[in-house]
Amino acid sequence: MSGVRRIVGLPSGRWTKWVVLVFWIAVFAVAGPLAGKLNSAQQNDSSAWLPNNAESTQVVELAKRFAPSDVFPALVVYERPDGPVTAADQAKVAADVGRFATVKDVSGKVLGPIPSEDGRALQVVVPIRVAEEGNGWEELAPRVEEMRAIAQADTGGLNAYVTGPAGYFADFSEVFSGFDARLLYITAAIVIVILLLTYRSPVLWLLPLSTVFVALTAAQAVIYLLARDAGLTVNAQTAFILTVLVFGAGTDYALLLTARYREELRRHADRHQAMAVALGRATPAIIASAATVILSLLTLLVAELNSTKSLGPVMAIGVAVGLLAMITLLPALLVIFGRWVFWPRRPELGSAEPTEHGLWARIGQRMARRPRLVWMVTAVVLGVMALGVTQLEANGLQSKDSFRTDPEAVTGEAVLARPFAAGEGNPVQVIGNAEAAPQLQAAVSGTPGVTAVTPPVVKDGYAYLEGTLTSAADSQAGYATVDRLRDSVHAIPGAEAKVGGGSAVNLDIQRATRHDTNLVVPLVLLVVLVILALVLRAIVAPLLLVATVVLSFAAALGVSALVFDRLFGFAGSDPAFPLWTFVFLVALGTDYNIFLMTRVHEESKRYGTRRGALIGLAATGGVITSAGIVLAGTFAALGTLPLVFITEIGFAV
């Protein structure tokens, strides 16, 4: 701890505060250009999220011999709503096929026009190749937009849509395009408003906000380097959550430190000495809080799913950098600017501390009269709220249900599903030993839910074939078909067959997520329990505190489940939603317990447990309330992204 004391002592020194400031200016100058490259390091293809031992992952590698893994089909569907397609319609679509072939990155033969059985629709399949390096969404989007312009020109009454894997990728890209900057502005605006209301100062809010921005930039730079050089998987979802987590957690730490510094300014004439005392007393709580979040996030490293596994270190880096900035840069800035930065509520030597007779002091006095009634009523209320968990359906979302808006890919899929097989454009892939090719074809053809099976292609000792699902590739019916198909081909002696493709990838992601939830949740609880026991040097108190956090998590999840179903009308939740929410709420909720209990522990040494608890509540109640509002506000900013999963995470937290 001596090294920690030296670090936290630097900002309160008369000349070392300038060293700290220069250091962070240099860090920001170096990190800025690197942070701007983080988007280019993202891997947003769902197959990149899979664990190495998943069956669909193995198929991705084996199938490269037969079908390029960097090709995404775009499905163009034409429909005449008032009757069968005409000869003029067929001529228009045939001409479009020729134009599609000239679009950049279109690779292979453009298939179509394929008529539907009812004669009211035509389908064209356009394969688009995407370079494996970089962000595939950025490359796909302009190609799909060009195809949409071609398909929707001079339709003569035809409705034309581009959907399929490429269409969905393009629409996801459109959602995420430029949103990182918008999210940053929205989150910053929310934090500014809350800090203005908390500090009631027109200037003070600039210091924590500037520190958070520097911390976020530095964290993004570190994460980019690890993604580029160390194989860290980063996707758009984790990048967005990183922004709100650093803003939320960093501002929480800033609130605690600033509140303690303001207290000490009323007791010490020298602001450097006041900061030294504030750091000595507040930093252990801040470090313990950050350590809880960091270690809880790092438990995700045991997860099977790469996207979940990568979430841990990405978020942990953000919190760690935020911690370092808040206990070095922020105190240096506060000392440099002096007391005037608190204007108009400038803390003077010997002036009364407002929290001693404030709202939370009065609440504490009332609770002290009937403490048993207070905790029992609170527990019952939270327990009733938690009952809503029974309504949570975290069985996955189909692509069409993943948006809160109706992009063209969703509309096109609905049109395509009416006259064509729902699994068009996203076939199931089967690969096994070449000698078993006839048995594999028979097994695939005979599996209920599979249609339009391709002849086997034999190469390098393997046989490869594809089948079209009668159900959507991301539906529960599609997953059931994959399971039946796997049972069939696995039973063929000597075939060593494996089943992959889009539907199998989604199914394996869901199962890996459920495995990760069952593994990570107990580990997070153990980490929190151990840290609380070390901080409080007790056994019973940590158990009670963990129980409060788990109960509040269950209540938040229960209310969220009811709102998602009854108010928002969402089709369900992603299987990762309970796990991500649990990690954030338990780890961050423990922050507030640590803020409160470290102060109670400190005051109890002088005044006894009962009086110490009331003083601790009076001193930290306002800080904890402000910190909770900041965290709620920053995560609420995720609701501006029109994706169901991100909206659900933001709402629940």
Side-chain angles (χ1 to χ4, degrees), residues 223-244:
I223 293 164
Y224 164 71
L225 293 175
L226 291 175
R228 187 189 68 181
D229 302 325
L232 181 65
T233 301
V234 182
N235 57 51
Q237 292 178 354
T238 56
F240 290 148
I241 295 176
L242 173 70
T243 297
V244 298

Side-chain angles (χ1 to χ4, degrees), residues 245-261:
L245 181 63
V246 173
F247 264 83
T251 306
D252 281 4
Y253 305 147
L255 287 166
L256 183 64
L257 176 62
T258 305
R260 195 58 189 258
Y261 174 54

Side-chain angles (χ1 to χ4, degrees), residues 88-89 92 96 99 149-158:
D89 295 334
K92 181 266 192 297
D96 286 353
R99 297 188 185 96
I150 293 172
Q152 293 164 6
D154 302 322
T155 58
L158 275 177

Side-chain angles (χ1 to χ4, degrees), residues 55 428 430 440 442-451 468-472 475-492 499 503-504 507 511:
E55 184 170 334
V428 65
V430 180
L440 288 174
V444 176
S445 300
T447 300
V450 179
T451 185
T468 300
L469 300 180
T470 56
S471 304
S475 66
Q476 295 300 321
Y479 301 151
T481 300
V482 170
D483 278 332
R484 288 193 296 269
L485 187 55
R486 282 175 169 172
D487 290 340
S488 297
V489 300
H490 291 169
I492 300 174
V499 177
S503 191
L507 177 61
R511 289 183 173 159

Side-chain angles (χ1 to χ4, degrees), residues 185-236:
Y185 299 145
I186 293 169
T187 306
I190 291 172
V191 171
I192 289 170
V193 171
I194 296 172
L195 290 179
L196 280 170
L197 294 174
T198 301
Y199 292 138
R200 300 179 188 177
S201 167
V203 181
L204 182 56
W205 62 270
L206 284 167
L207 303 188
L209 187 69
S210 300
T211 305
V212 168
F213 184 69
V214 170
L216 176 62
T217 303
Q220 289 174 332
V222 172
I223 293 164
Y224 164 71
L225 293 175
L226 291 175
R228 187 189 68 181
D229 302 325
L232 181 65
T233 301
V234 182
N235 57 51

Side-chain angles (χ1 to χ4, degrees), residues 382-383 386 389 521-522 524-526 528-529 532 542-558 581-582 585-587 589-590 593:
L382 291 174
V389 171
V521 166
V524 172
L525 290 176
L526 180 61
V528 170
L529 191 62
L532 287 173
L543 291 172
L544 291 173
L545 294 177
V546 168
T548 66
V549 172
V550 171
L551 183 57
S552 67
F553 159 73
L557 205 62
T581 307
F582 177 85
L585 284 182
V586 171
T590 303
N593 276 333

Side-chain angles (χ1 to χ4, degrees), residues 62-240:
L62 292 172
K64 289 180 179 179
R65 296 173 169 83
F66 305 93
S69 60
D70 55 353
V71 170
F72 293 82
L75 304 183
V76 189
V77 57
Y78 299 83
E79 180 190 48
R80 179 163 288 282
D82 54 356
V85 295
T86 64
D89 295 334
Q90 293 176 339
K92 181 266 192 297
V93 176
D96 286 353
V97 169
R99 297 188 185 96
F100 293 150
T102 65
V103 174
K104 185 180 179 181
D105 296 326
V106 169
S107 174
K109 184 179 180 181
V110 178
L111 303 178
I114 304 168
S116 63
E117 291 185 1
D118 62 7
R120 299 170 68 96
L122 298 169
Q123 179 187 181
V124 177
V125 182
V126 185
I128 305 176
R129 182 181 295 274
V130 177
E132 295 188 6
E133 300 82 13
N135 190 340
W137 289 1
E138 294 180 357
E139 300 176 18
L140 271 173
R143 312 295 174 251
V144 171
E145 290 307 312
E146 185 177 352
M147 291 174 53
R148 284 172 172 165
I150 293 172
Q152 293 164 6
D154 302 322
T155 58
L158 275 177
N159 294 331
Y161 311 92
V162 178
T163 185
Y168 270 108
F169 272 118
D171 287 338
F172 274 112
S173 175
E174 178 66 24
V175 167
F176 286 121
S177 177
F179 187 77
D180 50 350
R182 293 200 303 276
L183 179 64
L184 180 61
Y185 299 145
I186 293 169
T187 306
I190 291 172
V191 171
I192 289 170
V193 171
I194 296 172
L195 290 179
L196 280 170
L197 294 174
T198 301
Y199 292 138
R200 300 179 188 177
S201 167
V203 181
L204 182 56
W205 62 270
L206 284 167
L207 303 188
L209 187 69
S210 300
T211 305
V212 168
F213 184 69
V214 170
L216 176 62
T217 303
Q220 289 174 332
V222 172
I223 293 164
Y224 164 71
L225 293 175
L226 291 175
R228 187 189 68 181
D229 302 325
L232 181 65
T233 301
V234 182
N235 57 51
Q237 292 178 354
T238 56
F240 290 148

